[in-house]
Amino acid sequence: MGRALAVELRFRRVNGENLRTKRPVLGVCPSLPGYGFSDKPAAPGWGIERISDAWCELMARLGYRRFGAQGSDWGTSIATSIGQRQPDRVVGIHLMPPLAPPDPATLDDLTGAERAALATLREADEWGSGYSAQQSTRPQTVGYGLVDSPAALCAWIVEKFWSWTDSGGDLHRVITRDELLGNLMLYWLPGTGASSARLYWESLRQVNE
């Protein structure tokens, strides 16, 4: 494989239809290196820019000269990088959430909903970002537990489901046990607890700048 695809990338093609033109639409859904079904990087250097280059090469090998990119979570940063590094090939990007911090000049003129949203972000940063700090500084330390202990992996991931869903404290009101186990198995069976954590070490400082 080429240099940009030094790890084996797994992806799915998803067929759909443009609601306006009724023409078929193809979606390509890559799995991040070190996550899910893709190979684990054997050396440092697989940050968001290298991943975005690899995905652009993947699209070229699939025969697509131009394409759009959609991303959520880490995909938000990767889709942004794709648009920045390959602007002649990307027709547009769609981000969830968008990377748009508030303008400091408007902080005295925010709506109640906007102030509530900022308060929620501050609380999440204070009380819910420990996993991110650990994974961005010492990913291997927690990684040994995540690949060795099902209980450690379950506690590490399910706590975030509990925190990030509108469950009102009752997680099973919004997500079933089977759905939770399905997510956990994508980390447990291929042993990606440590390799997925390393992406935070590779790129979180860059994303937060």
Side-chain angles (χ1 to χ4, degrees):
M1 306 184 82
R3 181 182 177 189
L5 295 183
V7 300
E8 182 181 3
L9 294 176
R10 299 296 180 123
F11 63 93
R12 289 186 60 197
R13 299 188 189 200
V14 181
N15 292 312
E17 183 180 83
N18 186 304
L19 297 179
R20 182 174 59 85
T21 65
K22 303 302 182 183
R23 296 176 61 184
V25 175
L26 175 69
V28 177
C29 306
S31 175
L32 285 164
Y35 285 69
F37 304 104
S38 287
D39 200 1
K40 303 178 186 68
W46 278 92
I48 56 173
E49 291 181 347
R50 189 172 180 183
I51 294 172
S52 68
D53 288 344
W55 287 3
C56 288
E57 183 172 335
L58 171 66
M59 295 302 289
R61 294 189 186 189
L62 292 174
Y64 297 100
R65 186 179 65 85
R66 302 197 74 202
F67 54 88
Q70 191 278 334
S72 178
D73 201 77
W74 275 113
T76 301
S77 298
I78 294 167
T80 299
S81 180
I82 288 173
Q84 292 171 335
R85 295 167 72 82
Q86 301 276 348
D88 57 325
R89 298 184 59 199
V90 179
V91 297
I93 63 174
H94 180 263
L95 309 178
M96 301 185 308
L99 299 176
D103 183 352
T106 67
L107 291 180
D108 293 331
D109 191 31
L110 299 178
T111 67
E114 290 169 335
R115 294 182 186 279
L118 288 177
T120 299
L121 288 174
R122 284 193 294 269
E123 181 179 5
D125 183 60
E126 182 177 1
W127 296 102
S129 61
Y131 81 99
S132 180
Q134 175 70 39
Q135 292 180 175
S136 62
T137 56
R138 296 292 186 272
Q140 283 299 113
T141 304
V142 68
Y144 292 121
L146 299 181
V147 298
D148 181 67
S149 168
L153 180 72
C154 184
W156 194 253
I157 293 177
V158 172
E159 186 275 329
K160 304 323 297 180
F161 275 95
W162 179 85
S163 176
W164 292 342
T165 56
D166 296 323
S167 66
D170 181 7
L171 182 57
H172 298 303
R173 184 171 62 85
V174 296
I175 188 169
T176 68
R177 288 180 183 269
D178 283 345
E179 289 170 331
L180 284 173
L181 287 172
N183 183 283
L184 289 167
M185 288 299 102
L186 292 177
Y187 292 88
W188 179 252
L189 294 179
T192 57
S195 57
S196 60
R198 283 197 292 271
L199 182 54
Y200 286 75
W201 180 81
E202 293 277 6
S203 292
L204 191 65
R205 293 175 188 81
Q206 178 184 353
V207 170
N208 287 339
E209 287 179 354

